[in-house]
């Protein structure tokens, strides 16, 4: 707990520095719990939907909120880096998103990955507390097309994009990643 | 600004911290269909319930499905998908395959493969692989329900009144859903014997066998249903010392000649049978082993032996007791406990339907539940009037020597038409693959039961042999099309296969001639 002069609010919990998005704060009215986004807008979760409020309006609304979770995002490139990221985090709930490599301008060779990423990112706030989100670029198109690449052979990936929960059969492949409700289900339900 | 909030906000609190909660806004439940929360609520997320709910949702209905697994007496529980996916067809067939591969490995040596002795089986490897596959199916169903916009609730459902379903969590918290139509597809669970001391404390059922962490070891399987024989079959196949205890007959309800061939084969391949025996008590020994005492009705003597595991396969009971059926007036068959249903799966309450294993007189099979569920959904959505046809449903028993059949057993045909009005063609054949492997094919047999007069319409087909299910599927289509004996005889077989023997039958039982197939 501490006063954050930058945010002008009491902080209930500190941000995880590698996490992009949240710190949990208590509003000055002491009745509301606020999830504070890194892009400096104040948000409240009501009934699992994001609703925007100004700080002043917040004080007028004593409401119940859902607390967004803190998670760790790890960016890796290639199979070896992926395996290291996983083995360094034994015992954690690991979600992994596999995408084709992005070029210098940030565009991936995989059109489905381009399409799915905003949807997956959009649901990322629903990741469970303490979980890990590994964003893994698998490689160039030629590497991916080779049926013997490590991702296909060892991890049994069949396509990109793939979103999976490591060590479980939970997996969303290709078009399934376009559907926000499926992504949210994977992040929120057991 | 008045946001709508559900009443059970506590469900959304994931944090360890206890935030102060105020509920100052009025709760408005959205009734999109006007009068009820849902057009359709399905109680039971098994083969039938899932098929019905997905079909209904695709037809535009607002659907919710409640699935809840009461843990077995041993504490085993599983995910969405029902008996078939979790503790039935799927794990059974995979373990049956594991056992068949064991036999194949031994045969392989005769075919030139250099395989070192002894070949052993690791239960943990098989169990983990099977359980992982089952879990991927649980997940697949979750994805499908979400994708098709079916609301899935992991709650124990029961009826409050004709239009209200109560859902209860493990801890006893209640919630209520109202529905225009309610479908009950809760299926069944294995029975424990009630009069045998120690049965429940020390024994397991099919609910547990597929989820065991360790091999069951020396096992006593009590019962002679297909569940008992299939389990005993794969346990023997993977190397467990297995004994089957049969009170009277095996595979009751199936063609008894075929049942005899199945059990003869199992006995020849190492499963021990205790015919005419009834268990009396099960005690746990200090070593941890189970001591079973039984009465041999043939000798009148009492016998005893110790086992590592006792598997009860003495029948299945419908999951109907906790549904609140009598309160709402849904008629139940007093003897079986199953729900009395009409040809359209309706119950005695006009907007409540029931199908699958829970329906009285219905086959306890996944494909019939799936099809009936889909047709019911279409009828409820007003898209169809087609009823489920439960006749001529093919089925297979996945014992070490597989047995498949469609249509009537010989006894049923005789009972319905009279001995003189039917003709039975049969043949003992030898699968080609058995020759090099030097395997005994004495129980590989085919039987065609047909009318004796007129076109000689086929009434029933029976087959024991490898890949029995694959062999019979196409022939079940033939029966549906009203196949006659001449149709069968005019069909050219595929060579060399076992299935072709069905097209070559020519010896009748009536002739008394030797029915063993000779060469090409």
């Amino acid at each position: 707990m501490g006063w954050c002069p930058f945010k002008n609010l009491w902080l209930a919990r500190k941000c995880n520095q590698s996490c992009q998005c949240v710190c949990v704060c208590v509003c000055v009215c002491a009745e509301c719990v606020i999830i504070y986004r890194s892009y400096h807008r104040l948000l409240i979760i009501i009934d699992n939907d994001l609703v925007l409020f100004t700080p002043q309006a917040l004080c007028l609304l004593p409401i119940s909120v859902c607390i967004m979770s803190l998670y760790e995002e790890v960016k890796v490139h290639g199979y070896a880096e992926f395996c290291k990221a996983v083995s360094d985090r034994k015992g954690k709930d690991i979600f992994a998103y596999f995408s084709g490599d992005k070029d210098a301008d940030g565009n991936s060779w995989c059109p489905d990955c381009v399409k799915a990423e905003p949807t997956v990112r959009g649901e990322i706030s629903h990741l469970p507390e303490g979980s890990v989100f590994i964003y893994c670029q698998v490689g160039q198109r030629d590497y991916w097309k080779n049926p013997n690449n490590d991702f296909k052979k060892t991890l049994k990936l069949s396509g990109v994009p793939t979103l999976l929960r490591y060590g479980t059969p939970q997996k969303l492949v290709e078009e399934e990643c376009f559907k926000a409700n499926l992504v949210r289900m994977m992040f929120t339900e057991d | 600004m008045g946001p709508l909030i559900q009443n059970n906000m506590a469900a959304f609190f994931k944090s360890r911290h206890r935030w102060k909660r105020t509920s100052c806004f009025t709760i408005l439940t959205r009734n999109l269909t006007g009068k009820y929360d849902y057009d359709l609520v399905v109680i039971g997320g098994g083969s039938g319930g899932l098929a019905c709910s997905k079909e209904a949702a695709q037809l535009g209905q607002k659907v919710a499905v409640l699935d809840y697994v009461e843990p077995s007496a041993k504490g085993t529980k599983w995910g969405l998908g029902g008996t078939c996916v979790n503790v039935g067809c799927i794990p059974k067939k995979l373990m049956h395959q594991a056992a068949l591969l064991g036999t194949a490995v031994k045969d392989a040596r005769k075919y030139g493969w250099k395989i070192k002795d002894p070949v052993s089986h690791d239960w943990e490897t098989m169990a983990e692989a099977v359980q992982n596959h089952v879990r991927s199916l649980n997940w697949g169903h979750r994805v499908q329900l979400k994708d098709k916009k079916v609301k899935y609730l992991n709650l124990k459902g029961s009826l409050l009144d004709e239009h209200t379903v109560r859902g209860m969590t493990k801890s006893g918290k209640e919630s209520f859903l109202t529905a225009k139509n309610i479908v009950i597809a809760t299926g069944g669970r294995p029975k424990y014997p009630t009069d045998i001391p120690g049965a429940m404390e020390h024994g397991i059922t099919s609910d547990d066998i597929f989820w065991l962490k360790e091999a069951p070891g020396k096992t006593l399987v009590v019962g002679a249903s297909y569940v008992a024989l299939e389990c005993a079959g794969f346990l023997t196949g993977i190397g467990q010392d297995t004994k089957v205890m049969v009170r009277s007959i095996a595979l009751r309800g199936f063609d008894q000649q075929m049942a005899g061939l199945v059990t003869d084969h199992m006995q020849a391949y190492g499963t021990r049978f205790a015919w005419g025996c009834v268990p009396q008590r099960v005690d746990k020994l200090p070593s941890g082993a189970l001591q079973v005492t039984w009465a041999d009705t043939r000798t009148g003597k009492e016998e005893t032996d110790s086992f590592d595991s006792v598997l009860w396969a003495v029948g299945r009971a419908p999951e109907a007791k906790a549904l609140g059926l009598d309160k709402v007036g849904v008629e139940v068959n007093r003897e079986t406990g199953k729900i009395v249903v009409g040809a359209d799966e309706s119950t005695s309450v006009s907007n409540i339907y029931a199908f699958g294993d829970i329906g009285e007189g219905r086959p306890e099979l996944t494909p019939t539940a799936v099809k009936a569920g889909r047709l019911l959904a279409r009828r409820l959505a007003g898209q169809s009037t087609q009823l489920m046809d439960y006749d001529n449903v093919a089925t297979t028993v996945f014992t070490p020597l597989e047995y498949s059949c469609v249509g009537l057993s010989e006894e049923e045909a005789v009972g319905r038409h009279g001995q003189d009005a039917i003709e039975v063609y049969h043949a003992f054949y030898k699968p080609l693959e058995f020759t090099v492997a030097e395997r005994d094919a004495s129980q590989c047999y085919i039987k065609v039961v047909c009318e004796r007069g007129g076109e000689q319409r086929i009434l029933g087909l029976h087959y024991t042999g490898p890949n029995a299910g694959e062999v019979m599927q196409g022939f079940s289509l033939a029966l549906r099309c009203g196949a006659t004996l001449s149709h069968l005889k005019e069909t050219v077989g595929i060579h060399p296969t076992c299935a072709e023997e069905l097209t070559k039958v020519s010896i009748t039982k009536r002739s008394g001639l030797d029915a063993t197939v000779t060469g090409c």
Side-chain angles (χ1 to χ4, degrees), chain A residues 8 14 17 19 21 27 33 45 48 55 57 59-60 65 68 81 83 93 108 110-111 119 124 126 129 134 171-173:
Chain A
N8 213 26
K14 283 195 92 140
Q17 60 264 49
C19 147
C21 60
C27 173
V33 171
I45 315 295
N48 257 345
C59 297
L60 305 173
V65 290
M68 278 163 63
E81 274 185 39
C83 291
D93 193 2
S108 173
C110 161
T119 306
I124 221 159
H126 291 98
E129 188 176 332
I134 301 180
K171 183 177 355 190
L172 295 175
V173 181

Side-chain angles (χ1 to χ4, degrees), chain B residues 196 222 245-247 274 276-281 293-297:
Chain B
I196 298 172
V222 181
M245 188 163 291
V246 187
R247 182 182 59 191
C277 293
V278 179
Q280 292 176 317
R281 58 181 303 114
T293 311
W294 69 88
D296 186 329
T297 61

Side-chain angles (χ1 to χ4, degrees), chain B residues 151-163:
Chain B
K151 178 93 180 158
Y152 159 59
L153 297 159
N154 185 211
L155 301 171
K156 194 170 166 81
S158 57
L159 300 176
L160 206 63
D161 62 49
E162 315 83 83
H163 289 285

Side-chain angles (χ1 to χ4, degrees), chain B residues 248-328:
Chain B
S248 56
I249 59 168
L251 294 177
R252 185 180 300 275
F254 286 87
D255 186 295
Q256 284 300 291
Q257 180 195 12
M258 307 306 290
L261 293 169
V262 166
T263 52
D264 285 347
H265 184 274
M266 287 176 73
Q267 280 190 262
Y269 273 76
T271 307
R272 294 179 291 138
F273 276 77
W275 294 100
C277 293
V278 179
Q280 292 176 317
R281 58 181 303 114
V282 181
D283 299 299
K284 193 151 188 159
L285 298 171
S287 61
L290 301 173
Q291 173 120 313
V292 181
T293 311
W294 69 88
D296 186 329
T297 61
R298 295 179 189 190
T299 61
K301 282 205 283 215
E302 200 179 79
E303 311 263 355
T304 181
D305 194 3
S306 67
F307 300 90
D308 296 319
S309 305
V310 175
L311 175 70
W312 301 103
V314 294
R316 292 178 67 82
E319 276 282 278
K321 289 203 191 71
L323 283 171
L325 296 174
D326 44 341
K327 204 157 57 121
V328 178

Side-chain angles (χ1 to χ4, degrees), chain B residues 213-268:
Chain B
K213 292 281 178 282
E214 292 171 341
K218 182 178 172 192
T219 308
L220 176 69
V221 178
V222 181
S225 55
Y226 74 83
V227 173
L229 297 185
E230 285 174 347
C231 288
F234 73 70
L235 287 175
T236 307
I238 61 170
Q240 309 295 298
D241 178 352
T242 312
K243 186 189 201 106
V244 178
M245 188 163 291
V246 187
R247 182 182 59 191
S248 56
I249 59 168
L251 294 177
R252 185 180 300 275
F254 286 87
D255 186 295
Q256 284 300 291
Q257 180 195 12
M258 307 306 290
L261 293 169
V262 166
T263 52
D264 285 347
H265 184 274
M266 287 176 73
Q267 280 190 262

Side-chain angles (χ1 to χ4, degrees), chain B residues 273-440:
Chain B
F273 276 77
W275 294 100
C277 293
V278 179
Q280 292 176 317
R281 58 181 303 114
V282 181
D283 299 299
K284 193 151 188 159
L285 298 171
S287 61
L290 301 173
Q291 173 120 313
V292 181
T293 311
W294 69 88
D296 186 329
T297 61
R298 295 179 189 190
T299 61
K301 282 205 283 215
E302 200 179 79
E303 311 263 355
T304 181
D305 194 3
S306 67
F307 300 90
D308 296 319
S309 305
V310 175
L311 175 70
W312 301 103
V314 294
R316 292 178 67 82
E319 276 282 278
K321 289 203 191 71
L323 283 171
L325 296 174
D326 44 341
K327 204 157 57 121
V328 178
V330 174
E331 198 193 328
V332 156
N333 179 303
R334 285 277 153 254
E335 203 191 300
T336 62
K338 294 189 180 184
I339 300 177
V340 175
V341 289
D344 60 345
E345 313 347 315
S346 58
T347 66
S348 49
V349 178
S350 62
N351 70 307
I352 300 181
Y353 299 82
F355 72 99
D357 287 9
I358 200 76
E360 174 60 42
R362 296 289 183 238
E364 291 185 358
L365 297 169
T366 282
T368 50
V370 168
K371 194 157 204 315
R374 292 205 182 120
L375 291 175
L376 176 63
R378 284 182 214 155
R379 293 195 303 270
L380 291 178
Q383 304 274 344
S384 163
T385 51
Q386 191 188 353
L387 296 178
M388 175 66 191
D389 180 3
Y390 288 98
D391 284 333
N392 291 333
V393 172
T395 181
T396 300
V397 180
F398 292 98
T399 36
L401 182 71
E402 294 175 6
Y403 162 44
S404 61
C405 59
V406 62
L408 304 178
S409 64
E410 193 177 335
E411 303 96 313
E412 276 172 331
V414 168
R416 278 195 211 188
H417 302 266
Q419 182 83 58
D420 291 334
I422 64 156
E423 194 77 85
V424 179
Y425 293 81
H426 66 157
F428 283 95
Y429 70 97
K430 186 164 189 168
L432 179 64
E433 294 80 5
F434 280 35
T435 53
V436 170
E438 292 172 15
R439 277 178 59 183
D440 177 28

Side-chain angles (χ1 to χ4, degrees), chain A residues 65-128:
Chain A
V65 290
C66 167
I67 297 162
M68 278 163 63
S69 315
L70 300 179
Y71 65 91
E72 182 200 355
E73 176 159 354
V74 184
K75 287 185 159 66
V76 298
H77 186 251
Y79 186 72
E81 274 185 39
F82 173 77
C83 291
K84 173 130 200 331
V86 167
S87 61
D88 282 349
R89 289 163 181 82
K90 272 201 170 54
K92 295 218 163 183
D93 193 2
I94 299 174
F95 294 85
Y97 179 71
F98 299 91
S99 166
D101 274 16
K102 288 179 168 169
D103 61 22
D105 301 319
N107 301 317
S108 173
W109 55 260
C110 161
D112 283 351
C113 303
V114 171
K115 190 168 170 190
E117 191 161 328
T119 306
V120 175
R121 290 246 165 244
E123 296 299 322
I124 221 159
S125 54
H126 291 98
L127 282 169

